[in-house]
Amino acid sequence: MDVRAYAALAPKAPLTPHMIQRRELRPNDVLIEIKYAGICHSDIHQAREEWGGAIFPMVPGHEIAGIVTEVGSGVTLHGVGDHVGVGCYVDSCRDCDNCRIGQQSYCLNEAAYTYNSHEMDRVTPTYGGYSTHIVVDENYVLRIPANLALDVAAPLLCAGITLYQPLAEWKAGPGTRVGIVGLGGLGHMGVKLADAMGADVTLISHSPNKEEDGRRLGATSFLLSSDRAAMKEAQCSLDLIVNTASAISKLDPYLSLLALDGTLVSVGLPSEKLSVSAFTFLAQRRRLAGTNNGGIPQTQEMLDFCGMRGLGSDIETIAIQEVNEAWDRVVASDVKYRFVIDTASLGG
Ligand code: NAP
Ligand code: ZN
Ligand code: ZN
């Protein structure tokens, strides 16, 4: 079917209206009418080719929330009318050691990402959520809990799971001191989730004006990363830090905040290489890790957790026609805290 979308036609080109084709339903496919699509900083990195080789035209968007309007003959997991979501990938090999244990975001044969990628045939380009409809295999579609509105749920499909995974794997909870670096789309979900898990949360930000919001969202402490005295004072005081910043590559100031056996999980994807000093790293037996969004079972677990707690994203809703301006505001760290596109603005 022909579907309305917005696409970047070349690196750094503004997004413009563009028609794409969605495939006819296969037996295990669901057709989703997209209601909302979150704007992740990864959309901007990729469309502006900051990570190298990108595929154009590019229809970004991997924080998709919508309603099932049709199902293939073999579909058992979802039904017409269901509220569903799609995240960072739409398929994976299903056969490697990681896929077999539900760690599809670590597929050893490279998953089919939701856009700027190809389906598992390695030929057909994938197009993301800045569009009115998408067709996805039922196994890669998530259930959105009934008590979460689709607009505030959309960002959970990337920002939510990307922070839930490190917090859950490193057991953030009562008695753990968690630092979240960066209060953007990912970071604000990190503050909310870590607080909901019972951890003591410190927001570490390069923006002096984000302290109040950080505290409102669940942080009990605030560190301004440019305040050398405060950063020194806070050395060796945290057990787990999740770095969500889109543009931090020198990790030493943050690693220094870790106490004995503490772990810094870096999830931000700046184009520059990450760097650490060996001295900062080995002091306090520190650990450095990375995580990549999350597998389907854990993404569903995160959505159910957010449903139980009534946890959605703090959003600013925009029409698709405002997307280029919104991207510039994301780059300027000027969004509270996730832009979500109302896809009704794409027209019927
Ligand atoms: P975002 O909304 O733009 O938030 C990023 C935050 O980083 C900003 O709000 C800002 O927080 C901080 N920041 C920005 N520029 C900075 C600078 N020059 N120095 C220090 N801090 C700076 O972006 P996002 O959508 O949350 O994504 C964050 C990063 O994670 C991106 O690189 C994205 O590609 C990546 N990502 C990774 C995964 C994964 O699976 N690992 C998934 C999604 C996204 P403060 O103003 O509070 O400092
Ligand atoms: Zn993302
Ligand atoms: Zn695999």
Side-chain angles (χ1 to χ4, degrees), residues 205-213 222-226:
S205 172
H206 85 311
S207 305
N209 58 351
K210 291 188 182 172
E211 173 165 7
E212 198 182 318
D213 279 353
F222 177 83
L223 272 176
L224 183 63
S225 54
S226 58

Side-chain angles (χ1 to χ4, degrees), residues 281-339:
F281 187 39
L282 61 79
Q284 304 303 320
R285 214 156 57 187
R286 293 178 173 124
R287 296 151 195 211
L288 184 58
T291 55
N292 187 21
N293 56 85
I296 293 291
Q298 197 170 42
T299 306
Q300 190 61 57
E301 181 186 302
M302 175 276 307
L303 286 167
D304 295 344
F305 177 86
C306 289
M308 274 185 315
R309 306 295 181 112
L311 272 186
S313 173
D314 281 28
I315 60 168
E316 292 189 47
T317 307
I318 60 161
I320 190 76
Q321 292 76 12
E322 300 168 273
V323 68
N324 294 302
E325 188 192 334
W327 276 22
D328 289 340
R329 283 186 52 200
V330 172
V331 174
S333 305
D334 174 29
V335 50
K336 292 187 171 182
Y337 277 90
R338 197 55 137 187
F339 283 116

Side-chain angles (χ1 to χ4, degrees), residues 141-161:
V141 173
L142 288 305
R143 295 181 301 280
I144 294 181
N147 64 324
L148 286 182
L150 289 177
D151 53 358
V152 299
L156 301 179
L157 277 303
C158 174
I161 181 59

Side-chain angles (χ1 to χ4, degrees), residues 113-347:
Y113 295 104
T114 304
Y115 66 88
N116 191 26
S117 179
H118 294 100
E119 289 178 21
M120 294 310 287
D121 64 8
R122 310 297 187 192
V123 177
T124 315
T126 55
Y127 297 116
Y130 297 10
S131 57
T132 59
H133 295 80
I134 191 168
V135 175
V136 183
D137 183 286
E138 61 172 334
N139 294 292
Y140 294 80
V141 173
L142 288 305
R143 295 181 301 280
I144 294 181
N147 64 324
L148 286 182
L150 289 177
D151 53 358
V152 299
L156 301 179
L157 277 303
C158 174
I161 181 59
T162 300
L163 271 291
Y164 185 86
Q165 177 178 189
L167 293 169
E169 296 299 331
W170 276 269
K171 305 201 175 357
T176 49
R177 300 164 295 176
V178 173
I180 302 290
V181 181
L183 195 69
L186 267 56
H188 93 289
M189 285 314 305
V191 171
K192 285 187 183 208
L193 288 165
D195 178 52
M197 291 172 179
D200 185 48
V201 185
T202 298
L203 170 65
I204 306 148
S205 172
H206 85 311
S207 305
N209 58 351
K210 291 188 182 172
E211 173 165 7
E212 198 182 318
D213 279 353
R215 291 189 188 274
R216 175 178 57 80
L217 295 166
T220 52
S221 309
F222 177 83
L223 272 176
L224 183 63
S225 54
S226 58
D227 182 342
R228 284 173 174 242
M231 291 291 280
K232 190 155 192 281
E233 175 87 0
Q235 280 183 5
C236 307
S237 69
L238 299 173
D239 304 305
L240 172 67
I241 297 173
V242 186
N243 167 31
T244 76
S246 52
I248 287 177
S249 54
K250 295 185 173 62
L251 297 180
D252 284 59
Y254 308 95
L255 262 184
S256 304
L257 302 174
L258 288 173
L260 186 68
D261 287 330
T263 303
L264 170 64
V265 185
S266 212
V267 302
L269 287 162
S271 44
E272 280 177 35
K273 281 190 177 172
L274 299 178
S275 73
V276 295
S277 132
F279 292 91
T280 321
F281 187 39
L282 61 79
Q284 304 303 320
R285 214 156 57 187
R286 293 178 173 124
R287 296 151 195 211
L288 184 58
T291 55
N292 187 21
N293 56 85
I296 293 291
Q298 197 170 42
T299 306
Q300 190 61 57
E301 181 186 302
M302 175 276 307
L303 286 167
D304 295 344
F305 177 86
C306 289
M308 274 185 315
R309 306 295 181 112
L311 272 186
S313 173
D314 281 28
I315 60 168
E316 292 189 47
T317 307
I318 60 161
I320 190 76
Q321 292 76 12
E322 300 168 273
V323 68
N324 294 302
E325 188 192 334
W327 276 22
D328 289 340
R329 283 186 52 200
V330 172
V331 174
S333 305
D334 174 29
V335 50
K336 292 187 171 182
Y337 277 90
R338 197 55 137 187
F339 283 116
V340 168
I341 298 162
D342 179 350
T343 57
S345 57
L346 279 158

